[in-house]
Every structure is written in C-alpha cells, then in structure tokens.
Amino acid sequence: MINAKIVKHYNFRVQVEEFFFFTYFYKLLRYADRMNNNTDLKTNMIKSVCIHILLLSLMIVIESLPVSGQELEWLIGVDGFLDNREYHNSVQLPQTMFGSGLRLEVGGNYDQIHRLRAGIHYIYEFGGEPDAIKPLPTIYYQFDHKHVDFFMGAFPRKELLDYPLALLTDTLNYYRPNIEGAYLRYSGEWGYQNIFLDWTSRQTDTDFERFIFGFSGRYNYQFLYFSHHFLMGHFARSRIPPPDFHLRDNGGFDLNLGADLSAYTFFDTLSFSAGALVSLDRIRHVYEGYETPAGLLAQLLISYRGIGLQGTYYRGQGHEFLYGDSFYEATEYGRMDLFWQPFHIKHVRGKLVFSVHFIEQSIDYSQQILVSIDIGRAMSMGDSRKKE
C-alpha cells in the first residue's frame, strides 16, 4: 500500500518544480520581448537564467533524496537579559544592560543526523532605537551523530562553549549570540574535547580583520577531572591601515585539576578545581615574543534543587584579555555568585544571580536575570524514526 505521506510529499515537490519552471519561462519571455540591444537587460536575463538553473538543480538534488527520515523544522526562541553592574573600581565600568533577543529558524533534518537551518536573530536593547543593533543572520549546517557534533555557518553559541569569564566575557551572549565559522566537538564517557573558529570581522578598506580561535576539553577519571581552555584572538589591519597600526594577537589559557563529588553527597552539584591562568599578548613590531602574565585560579560550585553558589578566586599578575572580563587586570580578585534557577526544563530556563566582587580592597555588586524560552516543532516528511 502506498504511504499517503509520501504521495503528499511527492505532489508538493511537483508543484514547487512547476512553479519554478513556469516562473522562469515567463521571465524569459518578458526579457526576450524587451531586451533588443539593452545591455542591462541582457545581463539581468543571464543572472535570472543562472539563478533558476541553480534552484532547479537544488530541487533535483532534494528529489533524489529518499523521503524516509526527512523532517521539516521550525524554532522560535526568546532570550531576555537584565545585567546590572554596580562597580566602583578602576578596571570595570558601571552599567546596566537590559534587553531581549528574538531567534527565528526554519529548516530540516535527515534522520536526526544532518540538519540545515536558516533564520535571523534580532536583538533589542530597551530604551534604545529598534534598529540600533543590526539583525544577525543564522545560516548553518549541523552534523550530529554518536560522539561527534559539527557545525558550520552562523549558528547560536549558546551551550556550545563553556569558557571561564576571564577568557570570554558573558556579554558576548547578549550582543554576539552567534558563532560565525565552525565548531567541532567529540565526547564520550571519558569527557569531551572541542575546537572552534569564530570570524568576528571581515577585512575591508576601513574594517579590521578579526577572528577568535580556541579549543577546550575535560577528561574524567572517577571523581577527578582535568580541564583546559585555550583562546586566541587575531587582530589584523584593514586594507587601508591607519597610521602606527600594529597587528596584535591576544588570548590565553587555563589548566585545572578538580574533583566532582556530586555523586557522593546529597547536593546536585559539588565540585571544585584549582590551576593556572595564563594570558598571551603580542603586538608585533612593538615588543618581541609574547607577554605571559600568570596566576592561580580556584573555582567552587555547589547547587541543590536550583539554588547554588559559585565562587572564583584569582591571585597573580594582572592580565589584559581583550575578549575576557576586565576584573582580571587586578592582581587579586574574588567573586561569589548566589543563584536561583526557578525553572530549568528542556525548553524554558530562568536564572537569577546576585554577585559580590572583591577587588582593590573594596566590594562591588551585580545582579542578573536571565530567561530563555524555545518553541519548536519537527514535521515528518516520511517514515522517520521515532523521536524521544
């Protein structure tokens, strides 16, 4: 017996192909009637022919794929943030960041392994102009199978990178929510390892060429673990460089030994670690080699039923991380985050954070309210395997 879904899908494909064919044929007749010796129209006709050939070729490729296992998908997501920073020190500016982001994605997957998505991410900062921040395109391919997860394109960074604030500040999640480049992760019971490239600025006559490269991972052995994070930002010149411009490489890394005692206590999470934090900074033709300040970094995380405490302590030489938190310019810094997650389910997440900062023999405060909601659906185009 013929599957009704397959017949419906086939009829839809035929209708789409007919639409492209007749649209192309109609435009071709119009151009032929008006073209004569008009060079611009000739050029437009050539472009139109190329575009329609490309679209028809794409339809042929899609037609050749088996129907079984294909799904159409869509996603609507909203991320709200309130970050109030009451700072009175020499390394950080007091400010309040308050806004929300809207994520729209459409696409499809094949057997939950290959995924194509396209959409847009719009950010609105409350009190500002609606067009103050340009909408960001979201276009990516994802391969997700067994232990391998691979992205290429412009895709959300949320939950992909877990870097300490010293190396990557959390404001990137507000104003640069997408990675534009590639990401690869390999994981197993032993832990995980990932690597990414984020192209943050394309070189033009006035814009600098900039990108971020990094890799991080964690290796588990019973309740002990070793974790590491490496990040390097490359700041190259524009095509027309300003006077006295020097290419700069800036980043750093940390190496940590820790213990995760969550399975041995009534806490949901109980872990602590200690290690080294090192920054790498080079301004070419200004000084030779890299400047490499270093210090001790210790971290603690405790949580129980959504309520928790996260502590960070640093002591050593001052750093200059261009993509990281400016607090680490100080030689000694402590931070205590008290947080509550009133809901943390698959599609709805909320978090309230009250932070205390100990720096330069003074105490500063900050507060965060973070909310994220995702609504989406996958519609089968055949006999795809059952989703959990």
Side-chain angles (χ1 to χ4, degrees):
M1 185 174 181
I2 300 176
N3 191 313
K5 290 183 178 180
I6 296 179
V7 173
K8 182 178 179 181
H9 173 65
Y10 175 76
N11 291 334
F12 171 76
R13 285 181 171 178
V14 171
Q15 292 172 6
V16 172
E17 289 171 358
E18 289 177 349
F19 170 78
F20 279 118
F21 175 77
F22 285 115
T23 302
Y24 163 69
F25 186 69
Y26 173 71
K27 284 188 176 182
L28 191 62
L29 290 176
R30 288 192 61 190
Y31 281 127
D33 183 56
R34 298 166 50 196
M35 184 171 59
N36 295 329
N37 296 322
N38 192 317
T39 305
D40 291 338
L41 282 177
K42 287 182 179 180
T43 303
N44 290 336
M45 189 190 77
I46 294 172
K47 290 181 180 178
S48 179
V49 170
C50 293
I51 291 172
H52 280 82
I53 290 175
L54 179 62
L55 291 173
L56 288 171
S57 300
L58 180 61
M59 292 303 302
I60 292 172
V61 172
I62 294 175
E63 181 73 29
S64 66
L65 293 174
V67 176
S68 177
Q70 293 185 47
E71 291 179 324
L72 293 175
E73 299 176 318
W74 59 268
L75 172 69
I76 301 175
V78 175
D79 303 307
F81 59 90
L82 170 58
D83 193 335
N84 181 48
R85 303 180 175 186
E86 303 171 9
Y87 299 152
H88 305 282
N89 56 73
S90 63
V91 298
Q92 280 275 18
L93 294 175
Q95 60 176 317
T96 299
M97 292 166 283
F98 195 11
S100 63
L102 174 65
R103 293 174 283 112
L104 302 175
E105 295 182 19
V106 295
N109 75 76
Y110 181 71
D111 276 346
Q112 295 292 313
I113 297 175
H114 303 277
R115 174 170 281 107
L116 291 174
R117 288 282 185 92
I120 197 168
H121 195 134
Y122 172 69
I123 304 168
Y124 175 57
E125 192 167 25
F126 302 153
E129 296 294 330
D131 59 349
I133 303 175
K134 293 182 179 180
L136 302 172
T138 299
I139 308 171
Y140 65 91
Y141 163 76
Q142 180 187 8
F143 174 85
D144 185 6
H145 185 56
K146 294 184 178 179
H147 303 293
V148 178
D149 197 8
F150 172 73
F151 289 81
M152 188 167 186
F155 49 91
R157 72 169 66 243
K158 186 170 65 173
E159 299 181 359
L160 293 182
L161 300 180
D162 183 22
Y163 272 69
L165 294 177
L167 296 174
L168 272 182
T169 179
D170 52 2
T171 54
L172 288 173
N173 296 326
Y174 308 152
Y175 301 110
R176 188 176 170 76
N178 282 356
I179 293 175
E180 298 182 10
Y183 170 92
L184 175 65
R185 176 186 173 101
Y186 186 80
S187 60
E189 294 183 358
W190 52 270
Y192 70 89
Q193 180 68 48
N194 63 47
I195 184 171
F196 77 96
L197 175 64
D198 187 5
W199 209 270
T200 59
S201 179
R202 180 180 179 274
Q203 186 184 57
T204 66
D205 289 344
T206 56
D207 295 329
F208 300 106
E209 179 184 78
R210 295 178 178 176
F211 63 82
I212 309 172
F213 165 77
F215 57 86
S216 63
R218 171 168 163 158
Y219 305 92
N220 304 316
Y221 179 73
Q222 296 181 3
F223 65 91
L224 300 175
Y225 67 86
F226 167 74
S227 68
H228 67 91
H229 305 83
F230 173 86
L231 184 82
M232 181 57 67
H234 180 73
F235 301 82
R237 65 182 182 86
S238 57
R239 292 199 190 105
I240 305 175
D244 300 324
F245 175 83
H246 298 281
L247 190 148
R248 186 171 188 178
D249 299 304
N250 177 272
F253 64 90
D254 70 347
L255 303 171
N256 306 280
L257 289 175
D260 187 346
L261 304 178
S262 306
Y264 304 95
T265 68
F266 65 89
F267 291 108
D268 295 327
T269 306
L270 174 58
S271 66
F272 57 88
S273 66
L277 176 66
V278 181
S279 59
L280 303 170
D281 189 43
R282 176 177 64 169
I283 303 177
R284 301 186 189 183
H285 307 298
V286 174
Y287 49 82
E288 296 296 329
Y290 284 91
E291 292 188 346
T292 57
L296 169 69
L297 181 66
Q299 299 174 88
L300 169 70
L301 177 60
I302 304 174
S303 69
Y304 179 69
R305 294 188 177 182
I307 299 175
L309 179 149
Q310 184 169 5
T312 304
Y313 176 74
Y314 172 77
R315 185 181 180 88
Q317 298 171 296
H319 301 274
E320 187 175 7
F321 294 112
L322 297 184
Y323 283 107
D325 203 326
S326 298
F327 278 120
Y328 293 87
E329 293 180 16
T331 57
E332 187 174 15
Y333 168 60
R335 173 171 179 158
M336 181 176 65
D337 298 327
L338 301 173
F339 63 86
W340 175 43
Q341 295 174 293
F343 36 83
H344 189 80
I345 56 181
K346 184 176 181 180
H347 300 294
V348 182
R349 294 172 296 280
K351 189 174 184 180
L352 286 75
V353 186
F354 177 78
S355 302
V356 184
H357 307 267
F358 305 91
I359 184 171
E360 297 177 345
Q361 299 181 343
S362 65
I363 300 177
D364 290 337
Y365 303 94
S366 62
Q367 305 86 33
Q368 284 182 313
I369 300 177
L370 306 173
V371 179
S372 182
I373 301 174
D374 291 335
I375 300 174
R377 185 180 178 185
M379 296 172 286
S380 175
M381 297 173 64
D383 299 325
S384 60
R385 65 188 185 189
K386 183 178 178 181
K387 295 176 62 179
E388 294 182 358

